[in-house]
Amino acid sequence: MIESWRWYGPYDKITLPEIAQTGATGIVHALHEVPYGAVWTQEAIAARKAEITGAGFDWTVTESLPIHEAIKRGDGDLSALFANYRQSMANLAANGVNTVCYNFMPLLDWTRTDLAAPVARGGTCLRFEQARMAAFEIHMLERDGAEDDYSPEVRNKAAAWFQRSSEADRDALLHAIMSGLPGAFDRYDVAGLRSALAAYDGIDRDSLRANYKRFLQEVIPAAEDLGMVFCVHPDDPPRDILGLPRIVSNGDDIGWILSAVDSPANGLTLCSGSLGANPANDVPAIAERFADRIRFAHLRNVRKDADGSFEEAAHLDGDTDMVALIRVLVTEEARRRADGEDFAQIPIRPDHGHELLSDPERGSVVGYPLIGRLRGLAELRGVTRALEQVHNHG
């Protein structure tokens, strides 16, 4: 596997020379400064690639080449947006960057309610607290129908939190929920989020699927022609949120996507943390089911609570059997090598991570600390090397 590291370029307090000391050889990157829908120029891509290769890395995966919200909603004439998207693809391919991770989550990317929940032996983690999300939706956003999405127990906890919360507490909650949006793009205030949600009125699961299928039909043939692979990232959390449908949350969703345009270029980013937040998902089993279409893997772990809350666990300590999952990836890589397939090696990266030791002082991109991810990568590397030895030598 290709050990990789997500790097945010000019937005990142972690430098490429520091990343080199982690042992990672691949960089996962995107031009976050480019507005959604605009073309990534060959010149901008080449300049960033030169910076990455000059530091001794390969630009292994683009994460993400973002999809404009108008495409997700199916708004009007989308021909210019699709043309721009395909041009960005061509410009990436011309620079030898051939794997694209993306998501089809409406409006928000990953969502958490607490950016610094305490961890038992020190450090902090990202957490999704069901009652706080309910407090936000019911009492701050005042979304119609939000009460129906939560149990009476959670609604009671939400009301109690809201009544005792200060304005600073509510601001912190809004900041946490907005923090999953990458790069330089706008964060919403409550009124702005209401307005953005209104643009999705009438978009249900079936219509979002139809818009997604159109996206695949527009870009996967181009990916085939360019020798690229696309890999969809699962929803995080893997459930409807803010009244918006989420359609990449379980094995059946993934099966639908991969069959909607059945092509080796239409693949999966296996994110063990996103899928692992749904109690119904057996992550190693999902990986085994779609092993031949996994083009990239985010390896992290979560620990779930009965009410739907969850938090980031240490990479080997959460609810997902990480050893079993990595065994699936090791076995699949061996099969690809034996069959002489392209894209035989699977890029992996330690996803998220606890903030440990001096991490809080650095002010890194939320969820992407240096020491916490270094610990995760070291643990994942050890498991991988051991399983490769077993696989190669019986």
Side-chain angles (χ1 to χ4, degrees):
M1 287 184 276
I2 303 171
E3 293 181 3
S4 303
W5 189 275
R6 190 167 191 181
W7 179 61
Y8 285 88
Y11 303 104
D12 210 324
K13 301 291 182 65
I14 300 169
T15 67
L16 290 171
E18 288 174 318
I19 296 169
Q21 296 181 53
T22 71
T25 58
I27 291 293
V28 176
H29 184 63
L31 301 185
H32 294 297
E33 64 272 22
V34 179
Y36 287 16
V39 172
W40 291 15
T41 66
Q42 282 211 42
E43 294 76 16
I45 295 166
R48 193 60 52 80
K49 183 177 180 182
E51 187 178 358
I52 291 168
T53 57
F57 296 95
D58 294 321
W59 184 348
T60 51
V61 178
T62 294
E63 184 184 344
S64 296
L65 183 55
I67 302 168
H68 197 280
E69 294 299 315
I71 292 174
K72 297 176 188 176
R73 295 190 302 260
D75 290 347
D77 182 3
L78 298 172
S79 56
L81 285 174
F82 282 124
N84 285 358
Y85 200 93
R86 288 189 292 265
Q87 187 61 58
S88 296
M89 292 167 57
N91 293 344
L92 283 165
N95 281 279
V97 184
N98 296 314
T99 299
V100 174
C101 169
Y102 70 99
N103 74 70
F104 213 80
M105 289 180 259
L107 207 58
L108 296 183
D109 205 312
W110 59 263
T111 304
R112 300 292 185 272
T113 61
D114 193 333
L115 304 181
V119 175
R121 299 190 65 184
T124 63
C125 69
L126 302 177
R127 180 170 173 81
F128 182 94
E129 183 73 36
Q130 188 83 325
R132 288 195 189 184
M133 193 68 200
F136 177 76
E137 290 211 67
I138 297 169
H139 300 286
M140 292 174 60
L141 190 61
E142 299 178 326
R143 179 176 69 81
D144 289 343
E147 296 90 343
D148 298 335
D149 292 342
Y150 297 96
S151 69
E153 180 183 5
V154 168
R155 292 199 301 267
N156 290 338
K157 289 181 179 178
W161 181 88
F162 183 74
Q163 288 166 8
R164 69 174 182 270
S165 65
S166 65
E167 185 175 350
D169 293 332
R170 297 170 194 175
D171 288 345
L173 178 57
L174 175 64
H175 172 70
I177 291 169
M178 290 296 106
S179 290
L181 294 170
F185 297 105
D186 292 339
R187 272 63 173 161
Y188 302 105
D189 58 15
V190 169
L193 183 56
R194 284 196 195 105
S195 177
L197 287 169
Y200 272 90
D201 284 351
I203 302 293
D204 61 10
R205 179 179 178 84
D206 289 341
S207 55
L208 189 62
R209 269 191 167 187
N211 297 339
Y212 189 7
K213 185 171 183 178
R214 179 183 176 188
F215 168 78
L216 293 172
Q217 291 169 334
E218 292 275 0
V219 304
I220 296 302
E224 293 171 341
D225 293 342
L226 293 165
M228 302 180 81
V229 290
F230 268 59
C231 38
V232 63
H233 186 286
D235 302 325
D236 185 9
R239 66 186 74 162
D240 292 357
I241 194 167
L242 297 173
L244 298 173
R246 293 224 164 165
I247 58 172
V248 195
S249 294
N250 55 47
D252 289 342
D253 288 344
I254 293 166
W256 178 87
I257 292 160
L258 300 184
S259 62
V261 176
D262 192 1
S263 166
N266 180 20
L268 172 65
T269 297
L270 193 286
C271 181
S272 55
S274 296
L275 291 169
N278 183 339
N281 286 338
D282 181 333
V283 181
I286 290 173
E288 191 163 21
R289 177 179 171 186
F290 301 111
D292 64 334
R293 301 286 277 274
I294 295 173
R295 301 301 183 187
F296 183 31
H298 292 179
L299 299 181
R300 63 181 173 88
N301 224 321
V302 296
R303 183 174 294 107
K304 298 181 288 294
D305 298 336
D307 70 353
S309 304
F310 63 90
E311 67 183 27
E312 310 278 0
H315 284 73
L316 302 184
D317 291 343
D319 295 338
T320 294
D321 185 340
M322 192 62 70
V323 175
L325 176 58
I326 295 175
R327 184 181 292 114
V328 172
L329 301 179
V330 167
T331 301
E332 172 60 17
E333 274 201 339
R335 184 199 66 77
R336 294 181 191 183
R337 288 194 300 270
D339 292 347
E341 291 188 9
D342 294 333
F343 299 97
Q345 282 187 288
I346 299 171
I348 65 166
R349 67 171 180 83
D351 195 16
H352 296 178
H354 292 170
E355 283 204 325
L356 304 174
L357 302 172
S358 61
D359 276 332
E361 301 164 17
R362 181 181 288 267
S364 301
V365 174
V366 172
Y368 294 90
L370 176 60
I371 297 170
R373 282 189 291 165
L374 174 60
R375 173 187 170 181
L377 180 59
E379 293 175 343
L380 298 169
R381 178 184 295 137
V383 171
T384 301
R385 296 284 176 87
L387 291 172
E388 287 174 341
Q389 286 262 2
V390 172
H391 191 277
N392 293 334
H393 302 291

